[in-house]
Structure formats: structure tokens, C-alpha cells
Amino acid sequence: MPAAFPAVHAVEAAAEPRVVVLGVDTHKDVHVAAVLDHLGGLLSSGEFPATAAGYRHLLDWARQCGTVLRAGVECTGSYGAGLARYLATQQVSVVEVNQPDRSTRRRRGKTDAIDAEAAARAALSGIARALPKSGDGQVEALRMLRLAKNSAVKARTQALNQLKAVLVNAPSALREELEPLSTALLLRRCAELADTREGNPAADTAVFTLRLLAQRVVQLRQEATELERRMTIAIRATAPSLLEQLGIGPDSAAALLITAGDNPERLGSEASFAALCGVSPVEKSSGKSQRRRLNRGGDRQANAALHRIVVTRMRQDERTRLYLERRTAEGKGKREVMRCLKRYAAREVYHLIRADMITRHQQPDTSATLMTAA
């Protein structure tokens, strides 16, 4: 049928504005872009600085080729975050694009221009459909707070281990006095140690080092406490019902919210959230063999948070213990039952986040007031 009316189609195509698709390979300092027409033909490619002026120039350049229908952008959570936010403000639909697989790169080679064209083709074909996180709300602030808190906790543990290692080779009298103490009392006593003048460089340096490390541990503990307090405020401003559930503390709630993002409506269903957390079973069937395997993908931080929730509920929640006993009696192993429980927990978390999001959008925005109060 289309071949019977070539002239009519040509007139209509000429009358309509050309629609193009944009693909961007993002880097720290520059972004490389490619523009395709609606049939997949490469129209142009170019390189632009990763600055606000560069974003404007990139979009103006792309619009010279036609109306930008969609933009496929790599690394929308890091190098491409600024560009994705700018395109969204300019009413350009943005989809997140994964890097080309290894077989494609071996066949076509690897350059920034090739990657940008591949991103545009993924957006044009519909292979790339995931909406990027908006990254401009409480969840983005929560991500930064959790990053700083985890760093403080890691450094505190390292400093405490170093303090105890120094204590092993400290002067005998000092070691015998401090080793029996609890960790809290040990830190207090070491932080109050006074410099000695015994003429023994090793002993004098051991006292100085113990005091310095103890003060560092105390300071890092205070930092972690303050960061967790601010995290709790941000969680209560975003999804307060999470903290009301058994087994969900501030750290686990933060990890799950970070996975969902400031715009969890980009997730089509609770099954997509479960896949994003790596708790959805993956089909591995062939012929007469019908089975599912463990999902090793997804956000591993969110997966670990769901694991902590399930472990806590297996110890404290009567319903969870009864479920474990019933499935164990059916012949299921404990690890297999835990995978089922993590899937149920992901479903529960998704609906809680969605409900809180709807409630928050129906109320006036108080996030600025809450962060100022923090």
C-alpha cells in the first residue's frame, strides 16, 4: 500500500517538520553528541564542553537539524546529570542509555562519536526506555548525606583499629592500664593522655599517636551521628512511613529511596522496582527445563538493605518466622526462602514510597523549612 502513493507521501513528508533523535556520550569535560533522523540516518555529530553554555549550544545545534523528539544520554547519574536536567527543563524527553555491549564494540570499534551514535540508535529504537532520576530533591540530598556518613563510619573504624594496633607496642605500664578498658572508656582515656618527657622517642610518640587517633575517632563518631540525624530528617520529609516499618532503619530507608530516586513515578510497577533492587528472579528456562535463577544485577546497596530488613524480621516478626517454617516444611532452603522474602519486602517498600510521594505532592512543599531546621 505505501508504494502505491509515493507522491502523496513525499508531499506530506516535505510539509511536516523533520523529527530527529539526539544521542550523547558524556564525559567529565566534554560531551560528544550525534543526531539521527527518524529513519536512523546519521545527520551530524559534534563535541561540546560540559558546561551550562555547552548544554545550550548542544541543544541549539541539535534543533538546527529538526525537532528533537528524544535524547538518549549516557551516565545520567554522574557525568550526564547536568545535561539531563537541562534537557528536561527544555521539554526534551530524556532516556538513560547503557554503554554498548562488548560484541558491538568489537565489531564497530570504540570512539566517542560511535558511542554517541549508538546512544541515539538505542533511544530511537526504544531499546533505551528508562527515565533518569531527576536528582534535584530530597533524595539527591539524602544520597550525599549517606555518602558522607559511610565515609565517616569507615574512617572511624580504620582509626579505631589503628589505635588498638599502636596500643599493642605501647609502653608496658600504659598498655596494661588501657587494654582492659571498654572501647568507649579507652577512647576517653586516650584522648586525655598528656605528653610525656621520658626521653624515650618511641614511648613519647606512642602517647601522642594514641591521643591523636582517639580524638579522630571521637570526631568522626560525632560527624556520623550528625549525618544520620540529617538523613532521618530527609527521609521523614520524603517517605516517613518507611521508618515506621519493622526492620527499616535510616540507613536501609536511605538506600532504598536513593534507588527509587526523587521521581519514583519513572518506575512502571513494583516489579520494575524489584528488578532495580536485584531481587526479581531471572528466567533460565530451555526446552522442557523451566526454572529461574538468582538475579545478580540491580543496585547492590538496595539489595543489601532488603537483606538486612529480612534478617531482622526473621528474628523479630512472628509472621515472617511462620512463613519461614511453612516454606521450609515444603522443602525450600533458607536462602531460597530469604529471596522470596526480599521480593515481598521490595513490593511493600515500593507501595510505601508511592503512597508517600502522592501524599507529598498533594501538600505544600515544606522541604526547605525542614532542611533549614536541620
Side-chain angles (χ1 to χ4, degrees), residues 36-211:
L36 305 181
D37 61 22
H38 67 288
L39 296 177
L42 178 64
L43 299 178
S44 183
S45 62
E47 184 176 298
F48 305 87
T51 61
Y55 301 155
R56 291 193 297 269
H57 187 195
L58 188 154
L59 183 57
D60 292 341
W61 164 81
R63 282 175 170 169
Q64 290 176 2
C65 300
T67 302
V68 180
L69 175 67
R70 189 180 301 114
V73 181
E74 287 188 5
C75 304
T76 58
S78 55
Y79 292 145
L83 176 61
R85 286 196 292 266
Y86 174 75
L87 293 175
T89 61
Q90 300 301 310
Q91 285 72 51
V92 176
S93 176
V94 181
V95 293
E96 185 171 358
V97 177
N98 294 327
Q99 295 178 352
D101 57 30
R102 293 181 180 178
S103 61
T104 302
R105 284 188 168 176
R106 281 195 296 266
R107 185 174 64 253
R108 299 193 59 192
K110 167 70 174 76
T111 67
D112 295 339
I114 290 176
D115 287 348
E117 183 182 346
R121 295 193 184 282
L124 177 64
S125 64
I127 295 175
R129 294 178 295 174
L131 299 179
K133 298 177 183 178
S134 61
D136 57 358
Q138 288 280 7
V139 175
E140 178 63 15
L142 189 60
R143 183 189 68 82
M144 292 184 282
L145 291 172
R146 187 169 185 267
L147 177 67
K149 184 205 166 188
N150 289 344
S151 175
V153 170
K154 182 178 180 180
R156 182 188 63 187
T157 302
Q158 185 181 36
L160 182 59
N161 291 338
Q162 291 169 347
L163 183 147
K164 293 182 177 180
V166 171
L167 186 60
V168 171
N169 294 327
S172 300
L174 184 62
R175 185 179 71 250
E176 293 171 2
E177 177 188 355
L178 297 177
E179 274 190 340
L181 303 179
S182 63
T183 300
L185 189 55
L186 173 65
L187 291 173
R188 189 181 312 135
R189 293 289 296 276
C190 288
E192 297 171 352
L193 287 175
D195 289 330
T196 59
R197 296 291 186 269
E198 299 180 358
N200 184 342
D204 294 344
T205 303
V207 170
F208 170 77
T209 306
L210 288 172
R211 182 176 69 249

Side-chain angles (χ1 to χ4, degrees), residues 158-326:
Q158 185 181 36
L160 182 59
N161 291 338
Q162 291 169 347
L163 183 147
K164 293 182 177 180
V166 171
L167 186 60
V168 171
N169 294 327
S172 300
L174 184 62
R175 185 179 71 250
E176 293 171 2
E177 177 188 355
L178 297 177
E179 274 190 340
L181 303 179
S182 63
T183 300
L185 189 55
L186 173 65
L187 291 173
R188 189 181 312 135
R189 293 289 296 276
C190 288
E192 297 171 352
L193 287 175
D195 289 330
T196 59
R197 296 291 186 269
E198 299 180 358
N200 184 342
D204 294 344
T205 303
V207 170
F208 170 77
T209 306
L210 288 172
R211 182 176 69 249
L212 185 67
L213 290 172
Q215 293 172 351
R216 183 184 302 174
V217 171
V218 172
Q219 180 182 356
L220 289 169
R221 182 173 58 190
Q222 293 172 350
E223 286 183 13
T225 302
E226 175 62 17
L227 288 166
E228 183 168 346
R229 186 184 73 84
R230 289 176 176 266
M231 283 171 53
T232 304
I233 293 174
I235 294 169
R236 294 193 184 281
T238 308
S241 58
L242 284 180
L243 297 178
E244 299 171 1
Q245 308 305 311
L246 177 63
I248 304 182
D251 195 71
S252 296
L256 294 168
L257 281 171
I258 291 168
T259 300
D262 280 302
N263 50 334
E265 63 273 10
R266 68 194 181 92
L267 304 175
S269 64
E270 53 88 14
S272 62
F273 179 71
L276 198 58
C277 295
V279 294
S280 59
V282 179
E283 288 286 351
K284 194 179 180 181
S285 302
S286 179
K288 296 182 179 180
S289 175
Q290 303 293 322
R291 60 184 293 267
R292 294 182 176 90
R293 69 165 176 83
L294 176 67
N295 188 345
R296 295 180 176 85
D299 188 336
R300 305 317 296 174
Q301 294 292 326
N303 191 287
L306 291 171
H307 182 83
R308 291 192 297 269
I309 294 169
V310 167
V311 169
T312 302
R313 291 181 176 181
M314 288 172 64
R315 295 172 180 170
Q316 302 179 11
D317 184 46
E318 183 64 23
R319 293 187 309 163
T320 304
R321 286 200 296 266
L322 292 175
Y323 178 84
L324 175 62
E325 293 173 0
R326 177 169 62 84

